[in-house]
Amino acid sequence: MADPKGFLTHTSRETPTRRPVDLRLSDWKEVYEDFASDTLRTQASRCMDCGIPFCHNGCPLGNLIPEWNDLVYKDRWLDGIERLHATNNFPEFTGRLCPAPCEASCVLGINQDPVTIKQVEVELIDRAFDEGWVQPVYPVFLTGKRVAVVGSGPAGLAAAQQLTRAGHTVTVFERADRIGGLLRYGIPEFKMEKRHIDRRIAQMEAEGTVFRTGVNVGVDITAEDLRATHDAIVLAGGSTIARDLPIEGRELDGIHQAMEFLPWANRVQLGDDVTDADGLPPINARGKKVIIIGGGDTGADCLGTSLRQGAESVHQLEIMPRPPAERADSTPWPTYPLMYRVSSAHEEGGERLFAVNTERFVGEDGKVTALQLHEVKFEAGRFVKVEGTDFTLGADLVLLAMGFVGPQREGLIEDLGVGLTDRGNVARDDNWAADVDGVFVAGDMGRGQSLIVWAIAEGRSCAAAVDRYLAGTSELPSPIEPTRLAQR
Ligand SMILES: Cc1cc2nc3c(=O)[nH]c(=O)nc-3n(C[C@H](O)[C@H](O)[C@H](O)COP(=O)(O)OP(=O)(O)OC[C@H]3O[C@@H](n4cnc5c(N)ncnc54)[C@H](O)[C@@H]3O)c2cc1C
Ligand code: SF4
C-alpha cells in the first residue's frame, strides 16, 4: 500500500489544469498543462489498496491499479509501467481519452473524491516513452501462421500486437490512408495529439506487425483471397454507419454527419494539402452559425473543432433533459454515474440546450438557414412535444452527432457472408468467432458503438481466442470473460 494514511492526510483530489481558453483556442495542442510529479505521487498515495479493489472491476481491461499507484508513490516508475503494460497495450490512448469507469467505481469515491487513476496512468506511459523504456517486445519463436486484421482502430491494433508477440505473422489492413481508426480521424488533435499513435505504430512495426493502408477489404481484396492467404482473420472494422435524422429539409446543403466534418480538421493538423487559400478545409465552421445535434462526446468534439476554426456561434442540442449536477440516484456507486459533465470543449464556448427536438430543417436556395425546434418531455417511454415551445435557431452548418448504428454491410461483411445480430453488428460466440470458420470479431464491429478501453480489451481477448484456434492453447491474457462479452 502506497501510504497507509494517504487518503486521510490528502483528502482533496487534484487533476491537471487546463490551459487558458484563449490560448488553447489559438492552437490545436492538447488542452492540459503538465502535472508535477510530486503532486502525482501525493495523489497516488490516496489509494487505499482495497481488499476488494472495485477499480479493477470498473476497468474493462482489469488494470492492476493499486499496484501501479503504489509503485508510482515509491518512485518505481519502471516497475510501474511494466505492471501497466501487463494489462493495457496502449495506456497513452486510455490515459488521455477514457471516461475512466475505474474512477467511477473507486472505493474512495463512496465518501470522498476518487483517486486520480487516469492521471497516474498517463504520466506513467508518457514517462516510459520519454525514458526510452517502451521498446519492441519480440516473439520468442514464429509459428508460421498468418493472421489478417481488418481495421486499425484500437481493437485491431491490440489484437495485432498480442498476436504478433505470440509469434504469428500479422498483417493489418486499413482502408484509410493512415493507421489508427477513430483515434486518427475521429478524435481531434486537442484531445489526443496524433504523435502518440505514430510512436506506438513504430514499436509495433519493429515487433514485426505489417501495416497495409489504402486497402479496402471486400473491395480491393476479396474476402475469398484473404481467407486463402491467411490462417485466421480478425474483423475490427468499427461501427461506421452514423445515425441519421431523416426529417423535412435533410437534403439541404450544409448538413453533415460529424464524421464527414471532423476528419478534415485532423488532416490539416497532419499537414495534408486539403485547405483553400484561407487555410480552410472543404467542410469548416469559419464565420458560421453552427448547430450540433447530439449532446455527447462526438458533439463536444465538433464543438471544440468549430470554435478553433472560428465559428460565429455554436449551439449543441440534446434531446435528453439536463442531467443532475451530482451522481443520479439511478446510477449509484460503483456504476458509471449519470451526471452533468463539462468537457474541455464546453468550457471554451458555445451554448448547450437540453430537452430539445428538431422538427425540420429550414432552407433557402437549397442551403440550410435555420432549425425549427421545440422542447420535449419524456412520458410513458417516449419523448412528447411540449406545446407552445416552438422556436427557430439560425444555422449555416449543421453537424449530426447522434451515434452510430453498426458496421457497413457492403463490401467486407457481405463478401465474407458473416451473420449479424439483431442490432446489425457482426455476431460472435463465446470464443469471439463469427459463423464463418477462422473469422473472429473485436471492437465496435461486434459490440456496437462503445469506448476505446472496451476496444482494447476486446482486441486482447479476441487475440487469445485466435491464438487458441491456431495453436491449440494460449498464454495470452483474456480480460473479457465470455460472461462479460455482452456488457458495455
Ligand atoms: C468523434 C468520436 C470521438 C470519440 N471519442 C472517444 C473518447 O474520447 N474516448 C473513448 O473511449 N471513445 C471515444 N470514441 C469511441 C471510440 O473511438 C471507438 O469506440 C473505438 O475507436 C472503436 O475502436 P475499433 O477498433 O472497434 O474501431 P474504429 O476505431 O472505428 O476503427 C475501425 C477501422 O476499420 C477500418 N475499416 C473498416 N472497414 C474496413 C475494410 N473493409 N477494410 C479495411 N479497413 C476497414 C476503418 O477505416 C477504421 O479505421 C469516439 C468516437 C467518435 C466517433
Ligand atoms: S478502488 Fe480506489 S482506493 Fe481502492 S484500490 Fe482501487 S484506486 Fe485504490
Side-chain angles (χ1 to χ4, degrees), residues 391-432:
F391 65 108
T392 55
L393 263 184
D396 312 304
L397 176 65
V398 179
L399 301 170
L400 306 178
M402 301 179 301
F404 297 83
V405 293
Q408 180 188 320
R409 296 183 189 187
E410 316 84 67
L412 175 65
I413 288 180
E414 282 179 359
D415 206 15
L416 268 172
V418 287
L420 301 177
T421 64
D422 50 8
R423 296 173 69 182
N425 302 314
V426 178
R428 67 268 180 100
D429 64 15
D430 285 354
N431 287 312
W432 305 88

Side-chain angles (χ1 to χ4, degrees), residues 248-422:
E248 187 185 331
R250 172 64 181 91
E251 74 289 352
L252 293 164
D253 283 348
I255 305 172
H256 301 278
Q257 289 289 352
M259 279 305 293
E260 292 168 353
F261 168 72
L262 291 169
W264 289 113
N266 287 13
R267 284 191 178 283
V268 175
Q269 296 311 309
L270 287 160
D272 287 357
D273 185 13
V274 293
T275 52
D276 61 15
D278 295 324
L280 293 168
I283 305 174
N284 69 81
R286 170 82 59 89
K288 292 178 184 154
K289 293 190 276 290
V290 180
I291 297 186
I292 300 159
I293 302 182
D297 289 344
T298 302
D301 291 347
C302 292
L303 169 63
T305 300
S306 299
L307 293 171
R308 280 165 182 74
Q309 288 178 341
E312 181 187 312
S313 65
V314 189
H315 288 88
Q316 187 180 7
L317 313 183
E318 170 57 53
I319 197 163
M320 299 294 287
R322 181 178 160 135
E326 302 291 336
R327 190 189 269 274
D329 291 345
S330 58
T331 52
W333 179 91
T335 59
Y336 194 73
L338 170 73
M339 59 187 284
Y340 183 70
R341 290 188 170 80
V342 179
S343 74
S344 67
H346 294 126
E347 214 179 56
E348 291 162 0
E351 194 180 333
R352 300 163 84 175
L353 302 182
F354 291 91
V356 163
N357 184 41
T358 308
E359 201 162 299
R360 67 186 179 102
F361 298 109
V362 182
E364 256 177 53
D365 301 328
K367 224 184 152 319
V368 70
T369 54
L371 269 63
Q372 176 74 46
L373 305 162
H374 59 249
E375 291 175 18
V376 288
K377 57 184 174 185
F378 200 63
E379 263 180 15
R382 64 191 189 95
F383 291 105
V384 289
K385 178 173 178 175
V386 181
E387 292 303 334
T389 59
D390 298 84
F391 65 108
T392 55
L393 263 184
D396 312 304
L397 176 65
V398 179
L399 301 170
L400 306 178
M402 301 179 301
F404 297 83
V405 293
Q408 180 188 320
R409 296 183 189 187
E410 316 84 67
L412 175 65
I413 288 180
E414 282 179 359
D415 206 15
L416 268 172
V418 287
L420 301 177
T421 64
D422 50 8

Side-chain angles (χ1 to χ4, degrees), residues 96-99 150-157 173-176 178-183 185-188 191 215-219 236-240 258-259 262 297-299 301 404 408 410-413 442-445 448-456:
R96 287 181 167 76
L97 299 166
C98 192
V150 183
S152 69
L157 292 179
F173 295 88
E174 170 55 59
R175 66 183 173 193
R178 289 187 178 91
I179 295 299
L182 288 170
L183 298 169
Y185 284 129
I187 288 155
K191 265 173 63 180
V215 181
N216 190 350
V217 178
V219 177
S239 177
T240 47
M259 279 305 293
L262 291 169
D297 289 344
T298 302
D301 291 347
F404 297 83
Q408 180 188 320
E410 316 84 67
L412 175 65
I413 288 180
D444 284 6
M445 195 167 222
Q449 182 195 5
S450 185
L451 295 172
I452 291 159
V453 67
W454 275 110
I456 299 172

